[in-house]
Amino acid sequence: FFMHSLYRIIPSNEMKRTISLFATLLAIPVVSFTTNTHPTDVSVPPHRAPTFLDGGHESPVGSRRFQPTSTKTFLSKIHNEGDEDEKLESIEIPSFIKSPVLSQVYPALVSHKEKYGNPNIPLGSTDGKRCKTLRRLHFQNKLSDDEVALLTDMGFRFHSFEDVYYECDFDEMLGKLMDYRAEFDTFQIPKKYEPDPELGAWVTMLRRLYRT
């Protein structure tokens, strides 16, 4: 209505072209140039379509393009996620699993192995963080033999000494080392230190790094 009023007030053809250009840049509908145009008859300049967030047209303020998600795609995604949740719930957890962390992540391990051929879920998810915790529990000898055997058969990757060094919190491990020093008056922790295997591995990697 605003643009139509301007055309009626300002008869200059040059002004009309200026306003048309202004409207085109803003991607808003403008009245056509016909002399008998009715106030309700509007048209869009053919060389530039208006921008609608749900229509996927190019934004007038840059090269960014909106990629709308269709209702069908959105509903399909929800449906697939629901199927995945039902599938995970249907996976039976072996009765010998006692570790709460392994109980929580086991269905996801099975699902990931079916999809990708291995149970090693990347770290950037809740289940990935649980896998990281499992590796620490294994290095700390806090998983049963049956649980370790199950994970090994699945192809689960446990920590190496290098993994322990790079993934453990440095300040935490240093604190443990100083506690050991205060108790035993030495830093010579065995490579396989039964009370804290993780600390033994961490100190072993410190020695390797020093030698290199």
Side-chain angles (χ1 to χ4, degrees), residues 46 69 80-81 94 103 108 114 123 126 139 176 183 196:
T69 300
N80 292 337
E81 290 177 352
S103 296
E114 290 178 354
L123 185 59
T126 300
F139 222 98
K176 290 183 177 182
E183 182 175 356
D196 193 342

Side-chain angles (χ1 to χ4, degrees), residues 75-127:
L75 293 177
S76 176
K77 183 178 180 180
I78 293 178
H79 178 72
N80 292 337
E81 290 177 352
D83 290 343
E84 182 68 19
D85 291 340
E86 291 180 3
K87 183 178 180 180
L88 291 178
E89 291 176 358
S90 67
I91 295 176
E92 183 177 354
I93 300 175
S95 59
F96 60 81
I97 291 181
K98 304 302 181 183
S99 167
V101 177
L102 181 54
S103 296
Q104 291 175 334
V105 78
Y106 180 75
L109 295 177
V110 174
S111 177
H112 196 273
K113 182 175 176 61
E114 290 178 354
K115 288 182 179 179
Y116 305 105
N118 68 80
N120 300 302
I121 303 173
L123 185 59
S125 65
T126 300
D127 290 324

Side-chain angles (χ1 to χ4, degrees), residues 96-105 109 130-152 156-159 197:
F96 60 81
I97 291 181
K98 304 302 181 183
S99 167
V101 177
L102 181 54
S103 296
Q104 291 175 334
V105 78
L109 295 177
R130 288 170 178 161
C131 287
K132 180 179 179 180
T133 302
L134 279 180
R135 294 183 178 102
R136 293 198 67 177
L137 292 175
H138 171 255
F139 222 98
Q140 295 169 353
N141 292 328
K142 294 183 179 180
L143 295 177
S144 69
D145 292 341
D146 289 337
E147 291 170 337
V148 172
L150 173 65
L151 291 170
T152 301
F156 187 78
R157 183 180 65 83
F158 291 107
H159 271 332

Side-chain angles (χ1 to χ4, degrees), residues 12-212:
S12 170
N13 290 332
E14 185 62 27
M15 181 59 73
K16 289 184 179 181
R17 285 194 293 270
T18 301
I19 294 175
S20 176
L21 177 60
F22 174 75
T24 301
L25 292 175
L26 295 181
I28 60 176
V30 298
V31 295
S32 63
F33 292 162
T34 57
T35 55
N36 295 325
T37 299
H38 190 274
T40 59
D41 295 331
V42 296
S43 62
V44 179
H47 59 284
R48 184 61 178 267
T51 300
F52 297 105
L53 297 185
D54 59 349
H57 296 305
E58 185 176 356
S59 169
V61 295
S63 59
R64 177 184 176 185
R65 295 181 62 84
F66 294 97
Q67 298 297 334
T69 300
S70 66
T71 302
K72 182 178 180 180
T73 302
F74 179 72
L75 293 177
S76 176
K77 183 178 180 180
I78 293 178
H79 178 72
N80 292 337
E81 290 177 352
D83 290 343
E84 182 68 19
D85 291 340
E86 291 180 3
K87 183 178 180 180
L88 291 178
E89 291 176 358
S90 67
I91 295 176
E92 183 177 354
I93 300 175
S95 59
F96 60 81
I97 291 181
K98 304 302 181 183
S99 167
V101 177
L102 181 54
S103 296
Q104 291 175 334
V105 78
Y106 180 75
L109 295 177
V110 174
S111 177
H112 196 273
K113 182 175 176 61
E114 290 178 354
K115 288 182 179 179
Y116 305 105
N118 68 80
N120 300 302
I121 303 173
L123 185 59
S125 65
T126 300
D127 290 324
K129 294 177 181 178
R130 288 170 178 161
C131 287
K132 180 179 179 180
T133 302
L134 279 180
R135 294 183 178 102
R136 293 198 67 177
L137 292 175
H138 171 255
F139 222 98
Q140 295 169 353
N141 292 328
K142 294 183 179 180
L143 295 177
S144 69
D145 292 341
D146 289 337
E147 291 170 337
V148 172
L150 173 65
L151 291 170
T152 301
D153 290 342
M154 293 178 68
F156 187 78
R157 183 180 65 83
F158 291 107
H159 271 332
S160 64
F161 278 30
E162 290 81 0
D163 293 331
V164 171
Y165 177 79
Y166 289 111
E167 293 193 17
C168 287
D169 182 79
F170 185 89
D171 291 336
E172 177 187 351
M173 301 309 295
L174 181 60
K176 290 183 177 182
L177 178 59
M178 298 309 296
D179 290 342
Y180 183 91
R181 170 71 169 75
E183 182 175 356
F184 300 104
D185 196 29
T186 180
F187 290 115
Q188 301 304 315
I189 300 177
K191 178 179 179 180
K192 295 183 178 180
Y193 180 51
E194 292 298 330
D196 193 342
E198 197 173 46
L199 178 60
W202 187 79
V203 172
T204 299
M205 274 303 301
L206 276 181
R207 296 189 184 109
R208 289 182 185 178
L209 291 173
Y210 174 76
R211 293 184 185 126
T212 57

